[in-house]
Amino acid sequence: MDKLEFRVEKKKTFDVYNIRKDFPILSRTVHNKPLIYFDNAATTQKPKQVIETITHFYSHLNSNIHRGVHYLSQASTTEFECARRIVKSFINAKFEDEIIFTRGATESINLVAKSFASSFLREGDEIVISYMEHHSNIVPWYMISEQFGLKLKVVPINENGEIIFEEYEKLLSERTKLVAFVHISNSLGTINPIKEIIDKAKQYGAVVLIDGAQSVPHLPIDVQELDCDFFVFSGHKIYGPTGIGILYGKKHLLESMPPYQGGGDMILSVSFDKIVYNSLPHKFEAGTQHIEGAIGLASAIRYVQNLGLDNILNYELELLDYCTERMQEIPQLKIIGNAKNKSCLISFVIDNIHPHDIGTLLDLDGIAIRTGHHCTQPVMQFFKVPATSRVSFAFYNTKEEIDILINSLKKIIKKFN
Amino acid sequence: MESSDLLYQEIILDHNRNPRNFGELSNATHKAVGHNPLCGDYIELYLIVKDNVIVDVKFSGVGCAISKSSASIMTTILKGKTIEEAKQIFNDFHTAITSEIDKKIDTQNLGKLEVFLGVREFPVRVKCVTLPWHTFIDAIEKNS
C-alpha cells in the first residue's frame, strides 16, 4: 500500500493557529519557554470543548446511570448511552451493544484475553502477535498462554520496521485461533497492513484483535469493512479523558463470552442459588462506569469529526515529512523505523548521546518528547538500542515548532562534542 | 547559568566523553552488575580489594551522560579508600543530592561530587547518578 493512498484532497478550512486556541495548555510555558508538546503518542492534550463537557456534566448532570428513576439519573444515562452511539458510528460498528466501555486499550485487551481466550482456547492452540507490539498486546497473551498451555507465535520485522508478511503467512495454520496486531506501532510509527492481515487470518478461521490505540486519532476506522473481531483503543490518545477506553467486539462473539468482572449492573438477577447475567453491553460493564469519561470521549470524537479526519491526516503527514526532511540535516541522527507507510511519529537515536540526556535538554527548551523503550522492549532489542527518543505529532503542532526542535537538537550535539 | 549548564557541567560532559577507568578487571575480587531496565542504563563494576582497601576499580557498560560520568568520577574517588570511607562518601553524597533544592549543603565532604548537585533540580535523574554507587555497595556486600 502506498502512503499516497491516505492523502485526500485538502480542505482550505484547516487553520492550525485557530485550532491551537481550542487547547488551553498550549499557551503555557515550561522552563520559561513556550510549551512545544511532541509527546502525543503517549497522551494528547484536551480541547476546551472536552474540558467544558466534563465541567458541564459535573455542574449540571452528575448522577449515577441506569436504574435511576429521578431526573438527573435519566439525563446522565441518556448522555452516557448517547456517547456509546457516537463511538459506534465513529468506527462504524453494526450495533450499539458491540461497544463496551473499559478503562483503556490495555483493559480491553485483558478483557478479551481473560474472557474469550481463556474460555475458548485449548492447550496447544496458537496465538499470533507481532514483534512490534506494545507490552499491552504481549503480556496479556503471554499470561494466558502460560496459564492454559497456548503457544505464542511472533511475526518478525525487517530493518525498516515493517512486519515480514511472508513470515506471517508461514506462522498461520489450523492451530491459529487468535491473531492480535497493532495497527500503528507506537515506537516505530509503522502503519500495518491490517486489512491484509485480517483477511489472511480469516482464511484459517482465526479471530482477530486490532490494537488501535495509535491509529484511531489519525486514521478513519471502519470495523465492518476491516472485518476484525475485536478493535480496542483509549480515549486519552484521541483528545479525550484518561481512564476511558473502548472494546469493540462482534456481537455474536461478545454474546458467547463469559463476563470479565462481576458486580453491579452486569447482572439481571442475583440470588444465592442462581445469577442471571445482563445482556450486552452491560454484561461487560460491572460497577459504576467512568461516566464523565465516556461523555468526554464522545465530545472529543465530535471535535475530531468536526475537523475532519482526512484534514487531520493530510496535515499530520505534512508535519511528518517536514520533520523527517529536516532531520536529514543532522548527520549524527538516525531514524529508527522507516516504514513506507508511516504515521506522524519519529523515533531516533543520536551518536554518543543517550536519549535521556536528549529528553532532559529538550525539556529545558520547553519541548516535551518521550525517551525510553516506549513499552516495546522487543523492538529496542531488534534495533540493538537501549532506548530511543520519540517525537509524536498532533494536528495542533506546527512546522515552526519542528524548526525549534531541530535547532535545539543541533545545540545539544554541539554541547556534547 | 542556564539550567542545562547546571546539570550538564563541562566536567560531567568530559567524563562522559572520556570515562576514566573504563574497562574490565580479570582479577577482580568483587564484581556487580547495575541495571535500570526502565531507561536501559547498564553498568558492570570490578573491584580489587586488599586488606579492606580498594586498590583498583574499573567499570564498563552503557548509559546516559549522567550515569556514565557518575561512574567515572566514582572510580577516581574509590581508589585508595577503605570500604568504610567509601561507604561514608556515598552516604554523604546521597543525602546531598536527595535534599531539598534550597537546602544549604556542606560541600566540603563532597569534593568532586559537588558537580552533581544540579541533579536536585531533576528528581527523575537522581537514579542515574546513584546507579554506579548502588552497584558498588552491591559488589561489596555480595562478596563480603
Side-chain angles (χ1 to χ4, degrees):
Chain A
M1 237 190 300
D2 193 85
K3 192 155 94 178
L4 286 169
E5 279 184 32
F6 290 105
R7 294 182 192 244
V8 286
E9 205 191 332
K10 191 181 166 189
K11 280 187 201 151
K12 296 229 161 41
T13 50
F14 196 84
D15 176 359
V16 65
Y17 301 100
N18 240 335
I19 288 165
R20 287 177 67 85
K21 291 180 195 154
D22 288 336
F23 293 80
I25 206 168
L26 295 180
S27 58
R28 69 158 290 171
T29 59
V30 166
H31 301 300
N32 298 316
K33 307 270 170 61
L35 167 67
I36 295 178
Y37 189 77
F38 283 163
D39 194 17
N40 293 287
T43 198
T44 51
Q45 299 303 344
K46 319 306 171 198
K48 60 177 190 244
Q49 288 82 343
V50 169
I51 299 167
E52 282 163 9
T53 298
I54 294 167
T55 307
H56 178 81
F57 172 77
Y58 277 124
S59 309
H60 300 281
L61 291 173
N62 180 44
S63 175
N64 209 338
I65 52 172
H66 301 145
R67 298 178 324 283
V69 293
H70 63 82
Y71 177 84
L72 285 182
S73 178
Q74 290 173 53
S76 59
T77 302
T78 304
E79 287 294 317
F80 185 77
E81 291 304 328
C82 173
R84 198 187 305 275
R85 274 199 297 284
I86 286 169
V87 174
K88 177 222 165 224
S89 68
F90 184 56
I91 61 170
N92 196 32
K94 198 167 180 185
F95 305 106
E96 245 170 84
D97 45 15
E98 293 179 322
I99 304 297
I100 311 291
F101 286 114
T102 64
R103 281 191 296 141
T106 296
E107 189 179 44
S108 301
I109 296 171
N110 276 279
L111 192 160
V112 176
K114 292 267 159 39
S115 173
F116 176 80
S118 67
S119 307
F120 293 99
L121 304 193
R122 299 283 167 266
E123 195 176 335
D125 284 350
E126 293 178 359
I127 296 176
V128 174
I129 61 173
S130 87
Y131 218 90
M132 68 171 88
E133 298 309 316
H134 188 279
H135 293 167
S136 61
N137 206 23
I138 300 174
V139 182
W141 306 121
Y142 179 87
M143 286 164 72
I144 60 149
S145 297
E146 287 272 282
Q147 201 180 344
F148 296 98
L150 314 173
K151 258 195 179 152
L152 203 54
K153 301 245 162 169
V154 185
V155 182
I157 54 175
N158 64 24
E159 285 295 324
N160 286 330
E162 296 161 315
I163 63 143
I164 306 171
F165 203 86
E166 304 79 64
E167 296 297 321
Y168 167 59
E169 289 179 287
K170 280 188 217 158
L171 289 181
L172 292 171
S173 74
E174 271 65 42
R175 288 186 301 275
T176 312
K177 292 296 179 317
L178 193 138
V179 171
F181 245 90
V182 67
H183 192 176
I184 294 180
S185 157
N186 73 306
S187 57
L188 298 167
T190 310
I191 303 176
N192 279 315
I194 53 165
K195 183 64 188 147
E196 288 85 339
I197 289 167
I198 295 164
D199 287 350
K200 210 23 101 180
K202 296 277 150 175
Q203 291 176 14
Y204 293 88
V207 162
V208 185
L209 177 142
I210 298 297
D211 169 7
Q214 296 293 339
S215 63
V216 155
H218 306 292
L219 298 176
I221 300 295
D222 183 331
V223 290
Q224 290 189 70
E225 196 205 315
L226 287 172
D227 196 26
C228 54
D229 299 286
F230 299 106
F231 189 94
V232 306
F233 66 96
S234 295
H236 71 99
K237 291 198 201 285
I238 179 167
Y239 316 99
T242 53
I244 188 78
I246 296 297
L247 165 65
Y248 157 81
K250 279 186 182 162
K251 195 170 180 171
H252 72 276
L253 286 172
L254 291 175
E255 275 172 344
S256 69
M257 286 158 57
Y260 167 59
Q261 292 180 328
D265 235 24
M266 52 74 71
I267 42 78
L268 279 180
S269 68
V270 175
S271 73
F272 291 108
D273 304 320
K274 189 173 168 57
I275 290 175
V276 181
Y277 299 126
N278 205 338
S279 57
L280 289 177
H282 312 293
K283 182 171 84 176
F284 291 109
E285 293 177 354
T288 293
Q289 294 298 292
H290 185 13
I291 307 167
E292 84 279 16
I295 295 171
L297 169 59
S299 166
I301 288 174
R302 276 195 300 256
Y303 183 86
V304 164
Q305 285 174 323
N306 257 335
L307 288 182
L309 265 170
D310 290 343
N311 293 326
I312 290 173
L313 183 57
N314 275 313
Y315 179 73
E316 288 175 342
L317 286 176
E318 240 177 71
L319 292 178
L320 173 70
D321 288 351
Y322 183 70
C323 189
T324 307
E325 195 186 303
R326 291 235 43 200
M327 281 181 164
Q328 315 295 326
E329 291 169 23
I330 306 173
Q332 299 90 338
L333 185 150
K334 185 181 160 209
I335 293 176
I336 304 284
N338 292 291
K340 207 166 103 191
N341 256 324
K342 207 175 151 178
S343 182
C344 56
L345 70 85
I346 303 176
S347 257
F348 62 93
V349 290
I350 293 179
D351 291 346
N352 302 319
I353 311 182
H354 193 278
H356 278 197
D357 296 319
I358 295 169
T360 294
L361 287 162
L362 288 178
D363 177 53
L364 291 166
D365 280 341
I367 306 170
I369 70 156
R370 190 136 298 244
T371 59
H373 53 59
H374 318 292
C375 290
T376 56
Q377 286 182 6
V379 171
M380 302 296 122
Q381 287 151 16
F382 178 83
F383 286 100
K384 298 187 177 61
V385 292
T388 72
S389 302
R390 180 188 73 189
V391 291
S392 52
F393 306 119
F395 54 73
Y396 43 62
N397 291 128
T398 67
K399 289 184 182 171
E400 289 81 4
E401 290 179 322
I402 291 172
D403 291 336
I404 295 170
L405 166 78
I406 299 295
N407 285 341
S408 197
L409 287 174
K410 287 178 178 171
K411 200 175 73 184
I412 292 167
I413 290 169
K414 214 171 139 198
K415 192 180 178 75
F416 268 69
N417 290 300
Chain B
M1 198 192 273
E2 274 199 42
S3 31
S4 67
D5 299 326
L6 192 71
L7 182 60
Y8 292 92
Q9 295 192 34
E10 190 41 48
I11 182 164
I12 289 179
L13 295 172
D14 173 55
H15 275 268
N16 178 51
R17 274 191 293 265
N18 311 298
R20 320 296 197 268
N21 302 307
F22 194 78
E24 297 173 11
L25 288 172
S26 55
N27 52 341
T29 56
H30 296 68
K31 265 198 292 192
V33 171
H35 188 205
N36 186 342
L38 287 178
C39 59
D41 286 352
Y42 180 88
I43 174 179
E44 286 177 17
L45 189 69
Y46 304 85
L47 299 159
I48 298 177
V49 181
K50 269 189 194 143
D51 301 331
N52 206 37
V53 175
I54 301 161
V55 293
D56 205 0
V57 50
K58 279 193 191 302
F59 81 100
S60 63
V62 289
C64 65
I66 305 299
S67 74
K68 206 159 143 198
S69 61
S70 173
S72 172
I73 290 173
M74 178 184 80
T75 59
T76 66
I77 288 172
L78 289 182
K79 258 190 219 182
K81 298 284 190 299
T82 65
I83 300 291
E84 288 69 32
E85 284 168 341
K87 281 183 173 171
Q88 189 55 48
I89 290 168
F90 177 45
N91 214 15
D92 294 343
F93 181 44
H94 193 267
T95 308
I97 56 169
T98 53
S99 63
E100 298 290 323
I101 292 161
D102 44 11
K103 196 182 164 209
K104 189 95 180 71
I105 301 286
D106 180 11
T107 52
Q108 198 133 34
N109 298 336
L110 293 180
K112 282 185 258 186
L113 294 171
E114 194 184 337
V115 294
F116 290 108
L117 282 182
V119 82
R120 287 181 301 165
E121 302 251 13
F122 306 86
V124 293
R125 305 301 300 275
V126 168
K127 62 179 177 11
C128 311
V129 182
T130 54
L131 178 69
W133 286 93
H134 285 303
T135 311
F136 163 66
I137 299 292
D138 194 32
I140 292 298
E141 288 181 350
K142 204 166 59 183
N143 293 282
S144 60

